[in-house]
Amino acid sequence: MKIGLAGLGVMGAPMARHLVEAGHAVAGFNRSPDKARAWAGSTGGRFAATVADAADGAELFILCVGNDDDVRQVVSEALPHLAADAVIVDHTTTSARVAREMAGLAAGQGRAFIDAPVSGGQAGAEKGQLSVMAGGDAAALARAEPALMAYSKAVKHMGPSGSGQLTKMVNQIAIAGVVQGLAEAVHFAEVAGLDTDAAYDAISKGAAQSWQMDNRWKTMAAGEFDFGFAVDWMRKDLGLVLDEARANGAHLALTALVDQFYSEVQSMGGSRWDTSSLAARLQDRKPRR
């Protein structure tokens, strides 16, 4: 396919690389032109100086940008230049509201918009193993899906526009609770005088097992947080979750509490630390014995 992609950051650049390696003709745009030039030089993709250039004649246009306003700007700039009947796939984590807004805007110009946030983080993007949760027209998603599988292990259609973003919110709610529980478990093991590696070996094959445990227990215990999904990004996502909950009436007491814990991590200088840095709040708290 002829594909335009806007946003060549830690997620977008490897995703775009996988598309080139799969044989697609990919034009990449980034607000920092040097990043786009470097990506093009290392992958064989085409450098696009503007959004319009990346979108020119594209059958599929992919976004991996920052927030709602970025999506609005890029989509409005891209739409007039896309091929007739093109599909826009937005991998940015945004509000469900902007997803519905962009779907309406695209439909008014004869194109389709799919909200398609991802799970799997930078490692998933690098390995081509992302999970995509998608909202919008099922037929449009089906046309885009073969290309999306270049960097994904699963693409799941969740329903009408906005459903992908709502599903990503479910994902972030679940992660927030699991990471906080894991941070407290590691902290308790340390205070109780247990060997944390032995504690992991004892519990990680049972009901407590999770991806977070398998990938973050030992780094939490070691106080290593300089990698992975940044706290600033998680707080942005949890802000979207809590806004949606206020609108739909969902009760998210634990999620709101964990969001506040992340604000404490930010105040500790951990804005760019991995989300597992919830453990850092607890590591300086001395046992009372």
Side-chain angles (χ1 to χ4, degrees), residues 134-149:
D137 180 72
L141 177 62
R143 286 193 282 128
E145 185 169 349
L148 305 187
M149 290 306 298

Side-chain angles (χ1 to χ4, degrees), residues 209-251:
Q209 186 275 338
S210 68
W211 185 96
Q212 295 291 341
M213 177 176 284
D214 289 345
N215 289 273
R216 297 292 182 260
W217 176 282
K218 293 185 178 182
T219 53
M220 277 183 169
E224 297 172 356
F225 310 115
D226 191 21
F227 55 87
F229 192 69
V231 168
D232 279 352
W233 301 340
M234 186 61 158
R235 286 215 74 201
K236 184 208 84 169
D237 290 1
L238 293 182
L240 295 169
V241 168
L242 295 170
D243 284 347
E244 188 69 30
R246 281 188 284 270
N248 69 19
H251 299 282

Side-chain angles (χ1 to χ4, degrees), residues 16-255:
R17 170 175 54 80
H18 286 300
L19 289 167
V20 173
E21 290 171 351
H24 300 288
V26 185
F29 166 81
N30 197 77
R31 283 184 297 186
S32 301
D34 288 347
K35 280 189 177 181
R37 289 192 183 93
W39 168 83
S42 65
T43 65
R46 182 173 72 82
F47 165 73
T50 64
V51 171
D53 185 15
D56 186 33
E59 305 160 83
L60 174 63
F61 189 78
I62 298 170
L63 289 79
C64 196
V65 292
N67 56 40
D68 285 22
D69 288 340
D70 293 332
V71 170
R72 288 187 178 100
Q73 179 178 347
V74 172
V75 170
S76 64
E77 291 178 8
L79 269 171
H81 304 280
L82 296 171
D85 203 31
V87 179
I88 301 170
V89 173
D90 180 24
H91 290 312
T92 314
T93 297
T94 69
S95 67
R97 178 184 63 256
V98 81
R100 298 181 189 111
E101 180 186 324
M102 293 300 98
L105 180 66
Q109 298 190 36
R111 281 90 174 188
F113 179 93
I114 303 294
D115 55 290
V118 300
S119 180
Q122 183 178 355
E126 293 285 355
K127 295 175 183 177
Q129 292 291 299
L130 293 170
S131 293
V132 180
M133 47 214 90
D137 180 72
L141 177 62
R143 286 193 282 128
E145 185 169 349
L148 305 187
M149 290 306 298
Y151 48 78
S152 307
K153 62 181 179 181
V155 176
K156 177 69 174 178
H157 184 237
M158 297 304 302
S161 295
S163 299
Q165 296 298 347
L166 293 173
T167 306
K168 179 60 180 287
M169 293 177 196
V170 173
N171 185 77
Q172 302 305 72
I173 292 166
I175 288 173
V178 169
V179 174
Q180 176 59 22
L182 190 62
E184 293 185 11
V186 171
H187 173 64
F188 180 88
E190 291 171 337
V191 171
L194 294 172
D195 180 316
T196 56
D197 284 351
Y200 168 78
D201 290 340
I203 70 173
S204 61
K205 304 301 186 291
Q209 186 275 338
S210 68
W211 185 96
Q212 295 291 341
M213 177 176 284
D214 289 345
N215 289 273
R216 297 292 182 260
W217 176 282
K218 293 185 178 182
T219 53
M220 277 183 169
E224 297 172 356
F225 310 115
D226 191 21
F227 55 87
F229 192 69
V231 168
D232 279 352
W233 301 340
M234 186 61 158
R235 286 215 74 201
K236 184 208 84 169
D237 290 1
L238 293 182
L240 295 169
V241 168
L242 295 170
D243 284 347
E244 188 69 30
R246 281 188 284 270
N248 69 19
H251 299 282
L252 303 180
L254 177 59
T255 304

